Amino acid sequence: MGEIINGKELAEKLQAEIAIEVAELAKEGLVPGLVVLLVGDNPASQVYVRNKEIAANKIGLHSTVERYPADLTEEALLAEIDRYNKDENFHGILVQLPLPKQIDEEKVLLAIDPKKDVDGFHPMNLGKLFAGDPEMIPCTPYGIMKMFEAYNIALEGKHAVVIGRSNIVGKPMGQLLLMENATVTMTHSKTKNLPAVAREADILVVAIGRGHFVTKEFIKPGAVVIDVGMNRDEAGKLIGDVKFDEVAPLTSYITPVPKGVGPMTITMLMKQTVEAAKRQR
Ligand code: NAP
């Protein structure tokens, strides 16, 4: 049975460290500020935003959530972003995705000042990351790198397989692993013989969004398995992309869902807000 990577516990430890730093900065007159813009009433988004708000308050950030109706126009949202780009009390701006269909997501991400883009989704920040000189890093893969670090999981020379190639998880994950000298294979819905490719992995990161998709056929004995997936089963229970019960016995390390990657994502958001504030000072 692999060791369970306790994302919740690690997140709490890192958040306590960030809170200390925030208290120090406050003495110097700098209170890092984060504004979250939420459009519409997507239930999952409501939960994510609420969790971000709780973490920000706990850490001592100056935080605000702006809630807008589902029929907000693109123009109005861009005006709000412009307002917060200019507001020196806020060092981080996060627009909760997905957005209603009348709003062009790409336009919105481009409008955020890259210096305040604490989600790391702006093309400028993604470009810097892929050039090997990151400033803001997408929080989910960043949190996973912190897990490897905390559990002393060596990456150099290891074969890492990433399943999923989204701009916010899979692709930046591959790049971060590459920067740590892993040999990286990116896979997706058109990959042939996916279980066989995955079975080559020393490190397997799964970010597809299909409950219990990854079974023991995907696992090389002793592999490290990171499950990014957040799915609901028929009973409404939160489940990962990995069939934990049958996969865990084969692994050396594995993340659970919940209490795995999720809490780390929020923590890295807090960390980047503090870093952004220091840079903007
Ligand atoms: P996404 O944008 O929907 O991307 C999914 C990726 O998975 C795509 O690249 C897709 O391939 C690939 N895929 C889909 N079905 C596949 C299959 N049968 N075999 C192989 N690859 C397949 O999703 P995302 O935003 O990256 O999120 C992935 C999951 O992580 C979701 O469950 C999401 O809720 C979760 N998530 C969790 C956190 C967290 O903090 N824990 C953060 C972000 C996301 P193609 O490109 O070929 O279509």
Side-chain angles (χ1 to χ4, degrees):
M1 177 78 177
E3 182 174 345
I4 294 175
I5 298 180
N6 191 333
K8 182 166 182 276
E9 193 180 274
L10 179 59
E12 278 166 6
K13 179 174 164 256
L14 294 176
Q15 287 187 20
E17 287 170 18
I18 299 168
I20 292 170
E21 186 177 9
V22 168
E24 290 297 322
L25 289 172
K27 284 186 207 151
E28 298 163 21
L30 178 65
V31 181
L34 172 68
V35 61
V36 177
L37 310 184
L38 173 61
V39 186
D41 45 18
N42 178 317
S45 294
Q46 305 264 16
V47 175
Y48 298 150
V49 166
R50 181 80 196 113
N51 288 339
K52 287 166 189 172
E53 200 177 11
I54 291 168
N57 288 335
K58 207 169 90 189
I59 285 171
L61 304 185
H62 168 54
S63 94
T64 297
V65 177
E66 291 276 15
R67 291 182 167 82
Y68 306 102
D71 63 357
L72 185 80
T73 64
E74 183 180 282
E75 200 184 357
L77 181 58
L78 292 174
E80 283 295 273
I81 291 172
D82 186 51
R83 180 160 77 86
Y84 281 108
N85 278 341
K86 291 174 181 146
D87 187 335
E88 291 183 357
N89 294 314
F90 292 97
H91 309 90
I93 303 172
L94 181 154
V95 178
Q96 185 64 44
L97 302 179
L99 289 166
K101 51 185 175 319
Q102 75 274 14
I103 302 178
D104 180 346
E105 221 161 83
E106 210 179 304
K107 248 193 205 167
V108 167
L109 293 180
L110 262 174
I112 299 170
D113 182 340
K115 290 196 294 296
K116 297 192 175 188
D117 167 41
V118 281
D119 248 345
F121 297 165
H122 190 288
M124 168 84 96
N125 285 320
L126 286 174
K128 284 185 137 191
L129 172 63
F130 282 91
D133 180 25
E135 195 165 301
M136 299 282 201
I137 302 173
C139 297
T140 299
Y142 191 13
I144 294 169
M145 295 307 284
K146 288 284 170 195
M147 286 175 151
F148 293 138
E149 194 184 305
Y151 281 79
N152 291 314
I153 295 170
L155 301 171
E156 185 162 317
K158 296 289 171 63
H159 187 185
V161 174
V162 180
I163 312 184
R165 56 173 163 182
S166 70
N167 286 336
I168 62 178
V169 187
K171 278 186 214 160
M173 186 75 252
Q175 169 64 6
L176 290 168
L177 288 161
L178 189 61
M179 284 169 65
E180 291 302 320
N181 298 320
T183 302
V184 179
T185 301
M186 297 297 304
T187 68
H188 44 77
S189 67
K190 307 290 187 292
T191 299
K192 295 231 161 62
N193 298 325
L194 184 57
V197 177
R199 248 186 346 259
E200 297 288 313
D202 303 308
I203 314 273
L204 181 65
V205 182
V206 189
I208 53 187
R210 285 170 188 245
H212 290 175
F213 182 85
V214 169
T215 54
K216 60 182 188 312
E217 285 71 35
F218 287 66
I219 311 297
K220 172 161 93 176
V224 175
V225 176
I226 306 292
D227 187 355
V228 182
M230 295 214 284
N231 315 286
R232 297 275 166 193
D233 70 5
E234 307 84 56
K237 190 175 151 235
L238 185 64
I239 60 168
D241 288 347
V242 176
K243 210 167 182 181
F244 184 90
D245 291 345
E246 72 169 54
V247 166
L250 293 171
T251 63
S252 57
Y253 292 92
I254 184 166
T255 62
V257 176
K259 300 186 181 172
V261 173
M264 291 299 291
T265 298
I266 292 184
T267 304
M268 301 328 283
L269 176 68
M270 303 300 134
K271 184 174 167 58
Q272 293 209 115
T273 302
V274 175
E275 297 302 322
K278 288 195 288 186
R279 267 188 238 114
Q280 285 163 51
R281 172 156 57 170

